[in-house]
Amino acid sequence: MSAAPNPSNLSKNSASQSKRLILASTSKYRKELLGRLGLSFETISPEVDEAPLPNETPELMAIRLAQAKALAVSLSNPSAYVIGSDQVVDLNGVSMGKPGDHANAMAQLQKLRGQTVKFHTAVCVAHAGSAKTVNAITEVKFRELDDAVLEAYLLAETPYDCAGSAKSEGLGICLLEHVRSDDPTALIGLPLITVCTLLRDAGFSIPLNQ
């Protein structure tokens, strides 16, 4: 069951925005990114099982979970516009999500070093039973770094809630050789160019009329 909206999670400019907007996430990264648009929104945990399905590709997993999160919250808030998002790392067709702890993070980075991988960051906007989903793809090349460097990074950044353990907005940028994407905030967790397009299509004014 989705948590009740928390009034303290409302952003500014609510008086100028008629449509109710909900971010189906408790991620501090996605909340900060969406807040850049100056829209009023609430955050609600979607309470969705994020386990992969058998034989599911990384791309389809990201899309499915973004939709599931948005629709789960939309079901109990049908008049609102709900944003759901999910990110999955694609290492040669194998899915990689959040590590959760230090040991898993080290194992992820050991697999990723020297590799070129794709980050699938899917976004879904749901409203009144309908949903539109877009997947933003970021290509990332990881540097060939030894375990001592990876260990120093993990101890300094503790990126255990980041897909692939690569916190690119922090010290994780030191692990990367290049990043290629049409949506620069996708790697952080929410592709704002895509979000702006979806919200404008839904009738939101961005920038918001003051």
Side-chain angles (χ1 to χ4, degrees), residues 5 11 16 27 34 58 67 71 87 106 140 147 150 152 178 180 207:
S11 70
S16 303
S27 165
L34 185 58
Q67 292 173 338
L71 290 171
Q87 185 177 80
M106 175 58 81
V140 175
D147 285 357
L150 300 181
H178 73 242
R180 294 172 181 159

Side-chain angles (χ1 to χ4, degrees), residues 5-78:
N6 185 343
S8 66
N9 286 333
L10 287 171
S11 70
K12 60 182 180 179
N13 294 330
S14 59
S16 303
Q17 182 182 313
S18 60
K19 293 181 174 64
R20 184 182 174 207
L21 182 63
I22 299 173
L23 176 62
S25 175
T26 55
S27 165
K28 60 184 179 182
Y29 310 112
R30 293 193 178 108
K31 183 177 180 180
E32 187 276 328
L33 286 168
L34 185 58
R36 295 183 190 182
L37 301 183
L39 298 172
S40 172
F41 66 93
E42 306 160 36
T43 59
I44 298 178
S45 174
E47 304 297 335
V48 168
D49 183 359
E50 298 189 28
L53 299 178
N55 302 315
E56 186 175 40
T57 66
E59 180 176 15
L60 291 179
M61 180 179 174
I63 291 170
R64 175 180 62 83
L65 289 176
Q67 292 173 338
K69 292 174 182 180
L71 290 171
V73 173
S74 182
L75 186 64
S76 55
N77 299 274

Side-chain angles (χ1 to χ4, degrees), residues 33-34 36-37 123 134 136 181-186 190-201 206:
L33 286 168
L34 185 58
R36 295 183 190 182
L37 301 183
V123 177
V134 177
S181 176
D182 292 330
D183 208 329
T185 62
L190 191 65
L192 289 183
I193 291 176
T194 302
V195 170
C196 285
T197 299
L198 291 172
L199 291 181
R200 282 182 177 131
D201 289 347
I206 306 172

